Amino acid sequence: MPSVELDQPVPDFEASATGDQTIRLADLRGKNVVIYFYPKDNTPGCTTEGQDFRDRMKEFAELDTEIFGVSRDGLKAHENFRAKHEFPFHLISDKDETLCKLFDVIKPKKLYGKEYLGIERSTFLIDAKGVLRKAWRGVKVKGHVSEVLEATEAL
């Protein structure tokens, strides 16, 4: 499956999420969708990013925008992470990396001198017609959610 491109429709996908949900992009037509990829539940940057989205959720909701966080963690870890931080949005488990590959977010990373493949913190804004309008890659958490909100307002 080729990866997504700006100003092109995002291929429909189906993914398992918290709350025993199956998320289908096709079911979200008519709403804007923010999908943010993060490396791991309950790590400092990922927690802060989720909290930032949570704290601005009302503003996104007023713009008819759904938010989904995605990592390779399992649903049980996601349920705990979501409950602990009271995230009002669902987290998608992408253990088989289907969405990670579609959005091309698996990149070589280094930790303690060891190289491995991991999720590059990235966010994607899809408009109500299912077209990818904005992509942020290699995201720095501070101030990021405000940028996403501004881009959503501009749609």
Side-chain angles (χ1 to χ4, degrees):
M1 188 185 303
S3 70
V4 297
E5 289 181 43
L6 275 177
D7 301 320
Q8 295 297 313
V10 175
D12 191 29
F13 61 78
E14 191 171 287
S16 297
T18 51
D20 208 21
Q21 302 234 357
T22 299
I23 306 299
R24 289 178 194 84
L25 188 59
D27 294 345
L28 297 167
R29 288 286 187 278
K31 292 182 175 219
N32 301 312
V33 178
V34 170
I35 298 176
Y36 77 95
F37 289 83
Y38 63 95
K40 190 145 183 55
D41 289 346
N42 287 307
T43 54
C46 302
T47 300
T48 300
E49 187 176 24
Q51 290 168 336
D52 289 350
F53 274 114
R54 175 197 67 202
D55 295 346
R56 305 296 293 271
M57 190 70 196
K58 188 171 181 281
E59 293 163 86
F60 281 105
E62 287 167 0
L63 297 169
D64 212 12
T65 303
E66 294 278 341
I67 295 172
F68 299 98
V70 183
S71 80
R72 297 183 295 188
D73 292 297
L75 285 173
K76 190 172 189 317
H78 274 352
E79 292 287 3
N80 293 338
F81 185 44
R82 183 172 178 241
K84 182 177 176 182
H85 298 287
E86 299 176 354
F87 295 154
F89 49 85
H90 288 285
L91 301 176
I92 293 172
S93 173
D94 194 33
K95 279 185 169 226
D96 63 3
E97 299 180 356
T98 305
L99 286 184
C100 289
K101 288 177 180 140
L102 175 63
F103 286 89
D104 191 28
V105 298
I106 299 290
K107 304 288 179 197
K109 298 175 97 177
K110 263 193 173 135
L111 184 66
Y112 306 120
K114 286 194 165 102
E115 284 210 11
Y116 67 99
L117 289 175
I119 292 179
E120 176 183 52
R121 191 182 307 281
S122 307
T123 302
F124 300 89
L125 175 60
I126 302 167
D127 72 12
K129 294 186 177 93
V131 175
L132 181 63
R133 291 301 176 196
K134 193 103 171 101
W136 294 265
R137 296 182 182 276
V139 166
K140 300 284 177 257
V141 173
K142 191 170 170 45
H144 175 61
V145 172
S146 295
E147 279 179 48
V148 177
L149 191 58
E150 281 172 31
T152 307
E153 287 167 342
L155 287 180

